[in-house]
Amino acid sequence: MKHTLKNSTKQRLVNGTIHIFMILLSLIMLFPFIWMLSTSLKDKMHAQIFPPQWIPDPLQWDAYKEVWEVAPLLSGIKNSLTIAIPVLLFGTLSSAMAAFAFAKMDIPKKNFLFMALLSSMMIPGVVTMIPQYVVWGKIGLVDTFVPLILPGTLGNITMMFFFRQYLTGVPDALIDAAKLDGAGWFTIFRKIMLPAMKPAIAAQVIFWFMGIWNDFMGPLIYLDSEENYTVQLALRLLNSMSEATSEYPMIMAGAVISCLPLLILYICFQRYFVDSMVVSGIKG
């Protein structure tokens, strides 16, 4: 009895220590966002005082009104969505179809082909950056959204790998039963595999959207016109225009606005982040 009580006390102590550590780690990770939000609600003078004022007094909303006039933030949001939506729609579909083929179809040398596909992930992006720019420039598509959309619509290797791992857990008996009923491969994919992949698709779409929304290097390379700027380039423009005059509240207001779509997406689909971690851990 004493031994059991001692183990229980020790376990509670360990759990309490872990919880305290996780809370401290969460506060450290939230610090930049808290600072950003606090600064966006101050005036220029209070944003530079030391020690910093964590709770703005008084609250100032002027930065959120002025930022739309100073930087092309609204058009940046529209342009980012213009890039993200077709990439997610067509890229996810093509990735799911490729993963289904690698996981369930009888393709000669499919394991070799899949490993060759995965090996391309080892090539650093900076190696192909200049050749890709030259090719797009030769066909006159620089300063358009095509270089940022078209490659993504052909699929995402990381997403293919994740989907393939997920589909290996789907019983082959479902496919055999569908074949006996006269279903073809496309019907099996559409009516059996896609519904089974919904949690994996939802999780990967969220992660991919975050990557597209936060992408800075791609738009910086291919987009020259201000009207084509994505939200990240609009923030860079806002920073360069406002930093010299110490308009830190306006810069932080623009950063908060750019984060809102990601925060809303995370709040609405939070459970899929957890599901994706569990699925990636148990599927093999």
Side-chain angles (χ1 to χ4, degrees), residues 205-217:
V205 163
I206 293 170
F207 286 123
W208 200 3
F209 178 80
M210 290 175 61
I212 298 170
W213 188 265
N214 292 324
D215 184 25
F216 177 76
M217 185 61 68

Side-chain angles (χ1 to χ4, degrees), residues 76-152:
I77 293 174
K78 291 180 180 178
N79 292 337
S80 291
L81 290 176
T82 301
I83 294 171
I85 291 174
V87 169
L88 292 176
L89 288 177
F90 295 103
T92 301
L93 180 61
S94 58
S95 298
M97 294 178 70
F100 170 63
F102 282 118
K104 298 300 182 181
M105 296 179 68
D106 295 326
I107 301 175
K109 306 289 185 181
K110 70 174 182 179
N111 290 331
F112 172 78
L113 293 174
F114 187 68
M115 292 304 298
L117 188 65
L118 288 181
S119 65
S120 65
M121 297 174 61
M122 306 301 294
I123 303 175
V126 293
V127 174
T128 59
M129 188 181 299
I130 295 177
Q132 286 178 351
Y133 182 83
V134 171
V135 170
W136 292 116
K138 291 285 187 180
I139 58 180
L141 292 177
V142 172
D143 200 25
T144 69
F145 296 147
V146 176
L148 301 174
I149 294 177
L150 187 59

Side-chain angles (χ1 to χ4, degrees), residues 152-166:
T153 59
L154 301 178
N156 181 286
I157 298 175
T158 303
M159 186 178 282
M160 291 179 194
F161 172 78
F162 186 89
F163 288 164
R164 179 182 178 273
Q165 296 301 103
Y166 188 89

Side-chain angles (χ1 to χ4, degrees), residues 12 20 30 63 81 107 119-120 140 171 183 209 214 228 258 267 273:
R12 285 198 298 268
I20 293 173
L30 284 173
L81 290 176
I107 301 175
S119 65
S120 65
F209 178 80
N214 292 324
N228 289 335
S258 70
I267 292 172
F273 282 87

